[in-house]
Each structure stands twice: as structure tokens, then as C-alpha cells.
């Protein structure tokens, strides 16, 4: 079973999407103008080990599973952590493309993104500590349909590249603090 088997995403028209994006942008601008501290958000996600190497995740009111394929000791009941990382990048890109298309007055009829990430498993398995544990390279192939020129869509890409939070996570080091406790 996949998430798409159980979740139905509502459809929206371009006008409905534009209204929601405009309203959200205005609400955040007003909120931040009134108190800049309201711009700081903290996200909390909880995970617990299940099965061989799967993880049951709770993010707010949402629950899902992350696993590995059999070749990586998993039961292959869900996408892997690195696939979810690429999915997070794709979904954040979609949001920010839509947000900045609206803000810049650039018409986007549809957007389709494919992400590929190259991972060298030698570090994962302790075979070669000199290679990176994470992706060595990530490629995004973004197909945008609409009436705008290639130059306008490149202007949009530049705005998205400068403002996408998950792209920033991929491109820049983020301080991480880890605490291990005995349960």
C-alpha cells in the first residue's frame, strides 16, 4: 500500500490556487510585520522503529512508514529515507514554484518534477570512509507548462532556487544536535 492509495488530494482550479496563494502570502506578511518572531517555525516529527528496518513516522496529524528495499535489509513496504528526501525536495519545489509564480505574475499551468540522487553505498556499509554518506549529486528535471517565455520561467527558477527551504537543506550544511538516551 502507498500513500496515494489512501490519500485523496483535492483538485483546485488555477483561480482557486491563486486565491489561496495570495491569501497565504498576505496573511504571513501581516503576521510577520506585526511580530517578526512569528516567522520562526519549529517542526517536530517522531519516528519509531518497526519490522526489520522500517520506521513509523508521525508528523502532526499525519502518519506514514519509511522502509528500505530487501537489498538494504528492509521489507520494502514503503519508500526509503533517501527517496523521501528527494520527495521532500520535489514537493517543496512545487510549493515554492506555485508561490513565486503567483507573486511574480508568471502563469504556470502545470509543473512536473523528477529528482535523481546519486548515492555511494560504500560509506553506508563502512567500506570506504572517504566517500560521502549522502547524495554525491542531485538532479532536478522540472517541466513547466504555460504560456510564458523560457526567460520568464528561468526568472521563476531563480526565485525558487533562492527561497526553497528544502533545496537550502540540500545545498547547505545545517547544524544538527543529536542526543542519545537510554530508554
Amino acid at each position: 500500500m502507498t500513500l496515494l492509495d489512501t490519500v485523496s488530494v483535492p483538485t483546485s482550479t488555477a483561480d482557486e490556487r491563486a486565491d489561496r496563494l495570495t491569501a497565504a502570502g498576505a496573511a504571513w506578511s501581516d503576521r510577520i510585520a506585526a511580530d517578526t518572531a512569528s516567522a520562526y517555525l519549529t517542526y517536530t516529527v517522531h519516528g519509531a522503529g518497526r519490522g526489520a528496518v522500517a520506521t513509523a513516522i508521525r508528523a502532526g496529524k499525519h502518519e506514514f512508514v519509511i522502509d528500505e528495499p530487501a537489498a538494504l535489509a528492509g521489507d520494502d513496504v514503503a519508500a526509503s529515507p533517501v527517496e523521501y528526501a528527494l520527495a521532500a525536495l520535489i514537493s517543496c519545489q512545487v510549493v515554492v514554484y506555485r508561490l513565486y509564480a503567483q507573486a511574480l505574475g508568471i502563469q504556470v499551468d502545470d509543473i512536473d518534477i523528477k529528482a535523481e540522487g546519486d548515492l555511494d553505498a560504500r560509506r553506508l556499509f563502512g567500506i570506504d570512509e572517504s566517500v560521502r554518506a549522502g547524495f554525491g549529486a542531485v538532479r532536478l528535471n522540472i517541466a513547466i507548462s504555460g504560456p510564458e517565455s523560457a526567460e520568464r520561467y528561468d526568472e521563476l527558477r531563480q526565485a525558487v532556487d533562492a527561497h526553497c527551504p528544502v533545496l537550502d537543506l540540500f545545498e547547505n550544511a545545517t547544524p544538527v544536535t543529536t542526543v542519545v538516551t537510554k530508554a
Side-chain angles (χ1 to χ4, degrees):
M1 179 184 325
T2 67
L3 287 175
L4 293 179
D5 293 332
T6 60
V7 175
S8 176
V9 178
T11 59
S12 62
T13 67
D15 288 340
E16 291 168 334
R17 183 172 45 249
D19 289 346
R20 289 178 73 174
L21 289 164
T22 300
W28 275 99
S29 291
D30 292 347
R31 185 178 300 127
I32 294 168
D35 180 7
T36 56
S38 66
Y40 297 96
L41 307 173
T42 298
Y43 289 85
T44 301
V45 177
H46 178 259
R50 299 288 185 264
V53 296
T55 307
I57 300 290
R58 177 181 261 305
K61 67 179 184 176
H62 306 284
E63 295 181 4
F64 54 97
V65 173
I66 300 175
D67 198 8
E68 291 283 2
L72 292 174
D75 296 308
D76 203 15
V77 298
S80 73
V82 293
E83 289 167 325
Y84 268 99
L86 291 174
L89 177 57
I90 289 171
S91 60
C92 195
Q93 288 273 294
V94 168
V95 170
V96 180
Y97 264 93
R98 294 214 185 273
L99 180 68
Y100 275 88
Q102 181 66 28
L104 296 171
I106 297 173
Q107 185 176 334
V108 171
D109 293 339
D110 203 4
I111 184 167
D112 187 83
I113 303 176
K114 176 182 178 183
E116 293 180 324
D118 301 327
L119 192 135
D120 187 332
R122 291 178 295 170
R123 178 75 175 254
L124 172 65
F125 290 105
I127 296 167
D128 185 347
E129 296 296 316
S130 71
V131 299
R132 185 172 178 186
F135 289 123
V138 172
R139 292 170 299 285
L140 293 174
N141 185 341
I142 301 165
I144 299 175
S145 64
E148 306 288 350
S149 67
E151 292 78 21
R152 287 289 278 163
Y153 289 133
D154 190 55
E155 175 188 352
L156 177 58
R157 182 200 53 78
Q158 290 175 38
V160 171
D161 286 354
H163 297 95
C164 179
V166 178
L167 180 61
D168 180 77
L169 289 172
F170 274 81
E171 291 182 332
N172 298 293
T174 300
V176 176
T177 302
T178 303
V179 176
V180 176
T181 57
K182 184 177 179 332

